[in-house]
Amino acid sequence: MDKTVKLGVCYYPEHWPETEWEDDLKRMLENGIDCVRIAEFAWNLMEPEQGVYDFSLFDRFLDLAQRMEMKVILGTPTATPPVWVSQPYPEILNADRKGHVYPHGLRRHYTYNSPVYQKLSRNIVEKMGERYGHHPAVIGWQIDNEINCEVNEFFSPCDHQAFQAFLKEKYQTIDRLNDAWGTVFWNQQYSAWDQIALPTHPKATNPHQHQDMIRFFSWSARRFVLMQSEILRKTCDTSRQFITTNGLFGHLDSHAMTKESLDFLCYDSYPNFAWARSGRQGGEEWLYDREWSANLTHMRSVSPDFSIMEQQSGPNGWVNGLCAAPAPKPGQMTLWSMQSIAHGANNVSFFRWRTCSFGTEIYWHGILDADSCDNRRLAETRRLYDRLVKLPQLHGARYLADVAVAHTYDNDWDEEVDEWHRLLAEESSKGIFRAGQLTHTPFDEIYLDHCSVEDMLQYKAIVFPHAVLLSEEAAAKLERYVQAGGTLLLGARAGLKDTDGHIVRKRLPGKLQELCGLYVEEGSFVHPQDEPANVKIGQEQAHAAVWQDDLHCVNAMPLAQYEDGDFAGRTALAEHAYGMGRVYTWGSTWSEETFASMLAYLGLRTPWQHTLQLTPACELAVRDSGTVKTFFALNYSAQPQEIQVIKPLWDAENSMMIQGARTLAPYEALVLQNKE
């Protein structure tokens, strides 16, 4: 089996004269691209009026693709319904919190929960599957496009009704719902299901109702994807055609969606968003395009076997200024592609082949500009292909990490409504990512609601930054992981809530007290007039910022104390031997320096320093095929960076062994291999 990483591109035959198709495919193939994604916004071309189908345009394109040996991924076109759907059936349109109905002409202006839209979507997907489910050029299907992108909240009348049905199925009785939502507070009790609506006021919300709302949004999206997947599995030859969709977006349990409906998930990687005029800019703690490594880490947790469906190629932005960003610097297109591959991508498809000359995305550039002339992005694509063919054993190779960051979806979603939780989580997420990146300590993510204890035991250490909302099942997995020899790190406020979001009526860390061997005497935000307390972890100085817990050790052993502040002399960090493993409880947030100090204390920091030594401006990633380890040294800086290759490694691009000092050019992605 060929295990090289392949290149693809998003293509829109309906945007261009048919006389250009063959030349386009020929140029793609000449530059290493052997797969195109098509049709995800082309419903009206296939069904120009309800029940009237015309597949002639795509018949001709697919026959051409087959003749030229170009592989094709077909998108189901349900992200943009035709006007003949939107106008006669206004009930399919989504509404915002204030009840304003989304107009026709946007993307995702529909609701998943409209029975009419579900029926019409089933019809077009079924017809596409019947027509192309055995076409030799088609290798896979993309369901819809970027589920929950742009819009991940739904407040149409159909959604309020579906929410009631969702709750009735979950709770069975109205009394159980009242208990779960704590409706006795502020006199909110319900006596009938039809009294309940989605919460639309952003400032005075019931947090338990809000949590169920997000669960409902996720369920709605997953049900819509599953509906299409089931149709495709009935109508297509799935022994040779895969089913996927693309992107990671909010209010969606992507793990469950992937398991239920997909063969694997694809990611859309746009690191140039880091410089978007409408987005986040500046700040010394912001790592710009390097931050997309966090997204790719999350992607890898959802779908270890993943690909990139849309990889940044040119400058991006809509005509209204959304996401408007400058052109990638020379080399960044390759750097960002290698960033995706370094984090586990098995294939990379660029967005898009040619920049569209009309519509909202005339400034969202592809490999080619609208003039179709050869340019440096096309030349960079060819050079990337030439490099990849020299790198066998990458497809399917495992990303190596000894440390994982634990999550659950309910705990993640709790941050949205609970500002106290969010402040801690944001600080720790930033600190853990920066510590891993800047000390060159690779890490994974793991979701306790979608993994086994055996999965957890792959890691020497797992950090659950703030396990505020914790189920009995997740707590049991953490306990079994430690009992079997794992090392668990917990931050402040662990075990505070049950799965309904109610405060647990026992001392923190609640149901984790026995596991941690301690309880929290008192905890508080750091007072605005106070500085973060100093704490010494091992031989390194750290700080307790945002929140501080006073830990009272029962069976645990104090490891570090607050050196100043209100809790001066009290325990800030404790260690508890439990079974064959250990638990470290930290009474604060995980700043960069604190997490880096803990990694050093555990002997897990900079694990590849005896093979490669990089500057902080560079990222290190390692993939292992079982026979070949591939090392990625990625320079995100505009300045040259000197690295040290400690052990001899194979430079496949230049067909030579290298060792010693090596200077990385600005934006260079160096790939080395250790063949075992």
Side-chain angles (χ1 to χ4, degrees), residues 404-441:
V405 181
H407 296 262
T408 69
Y409 277 96
D410 276 347
N411 193 60
D412 286 354
W413 293 335
D414 184 67
E415 297 171 26
E416 182 174 309
V417 67
D418 186 339
E419 179 76 3
W420 294 53
H421 183 180
R422 185 182 64 80
L423 290 171
L424 274 65
E426 285 185 349
E427 178 73 13
S428 292
S429 177
K430 176 178 64 180
I432 290 169
F433 177 70
R434 283 181 58 85
Q437 282 285 311
L438 301 183
T439 66
H440 306 118
T441 306

Side-chain angles (χ1 to χ4, degrees), residues 278-303:
S278 58
R280 181 176 180 178
Q281 298 182 65
E284 61 182 29
E285 293 186 342
W286 173 240
L287 294 180
Y288 292 95
D289 50 340
R290 197 167 170 176
E291 298 276 343
W292 266 251
S293 292
N295 301 338
L296 290 160
T297 299
H298 180 51
M299 181 69 206
R300 199 170 56 245
S301 80
V302 175
S303 182

